[in-house]
Amino acid sequence: MAGRKTAKTGNQGQKILKSDAEWRKQLSPSQFRVLREKGTELPFSGQYDSHFGQGVYSCAACGNPLFSSEAKYDSHCGWPAFWAALDEKKVELHEDKSLGMARTEVVCAKCGGHLGHVFGDGPKPTGKRFCINSESLKFTRKRA
Ligand code: FE
């Protein structure tokens, strides 16, 4: 495919590397702001905050399956929350010291897109709260 560059990344296979111009063509302005510029959607504004259908939430940029509805819960924080990723290798965690806070950023392991942050105040069994922007996700309903 013209313009698409890839790099080997161990277990994740081919990593997707695109220029900002390429991502801009593919993503909506609000998706671009979150996924490529590490923006945050307004709380309680996203389409998946109060969404509890059965299925899989994939990366809105590259389609990498990231989270299952089985790990989604209502955190009342204003963003979709999950207590685990579908598979540890689907996401990468990066130290984030922006905005004067020490947080752990969650990014898509395949395309590097910003998803949100993970906190230690989640429910059992992991105690984790993956606080993820709806703009970074695309839901696919599980077939019955
Ligand atoms: Fe991705």
Side-chain angles (χ1 to χ4, degrees):
M1 187 178 288
R4 175 175 286 197
K5 291 161 283 183
T6 57
K8 283 278 188 194
T9 58
N11 290 330
Q12 280 303 313
Q14 298 288 316
K15 205 166 241 201
I16 297 171
L17 301 171
K18 294 187 186 185
S19 67
D20 277 357
E22 288 174 297
W23 284 123
R24 273 187 205 281
K25 269 186 231 164
Q26 177 187 335
L27 301 170
S28 72
S30 53
Q31 286 176 325
F32 184 88
R33 198 179 66 81
V34 173
L35 281 157
R36 306 310 312 176
E37 299 183 316
K38 304 184 189 300
T40 300
E41 68 200 18
L42 290 172
F44 305 102
S45 73
Q47 63 175 326
Y48 298 132
D49 177 31
S50 301
H51 178 275
F52 289 96
Q54 295 234 313
V56 170
Y57 295 83
S58 301
C59 175
C62 76
N64 189 23
L66 300 172
F67 300 98
S68 166
S69 58
E70 288 171 29
K72 193 174 191 297
Y73 70 101
D74 190 0
S75 69
H76 305 285
C77 70
W79 294 273
F82 305 86
W83 47 258
L86 205 50
D87 174 328
E88 277 182 10
K89 296 189 182 84
K90 301 287 189 190
V91 296
E92 287 176 5
L93 306 180
H94 297 160
E95 193 179 354
D96 175 9
K97 288 185 174 169
S98 66
L99 305 178
M101 293 182 274
R103 296 181 293 172
T104 303
E105 180 193 13
V106 185
V107 308
C108 172
K110 195 167 179 184
C111 74
H114 174 78
L115 305 172
H117 291 86
V118 61
F119 302 94
D121 57 2
K124 289 178 181 175
T126 62
K128 288 179 185 167
R129 171 170 60 99
F130 287 83
C131 184
I132 305 298
N133 290 279
S134 294
E135 293 287 1
S136 301
L137 300 174
K138 183 178 190 316
F139 177 75
T140 306
R141 187 170 292 280
K142 192 194 281 181
R143 277 173 273 170

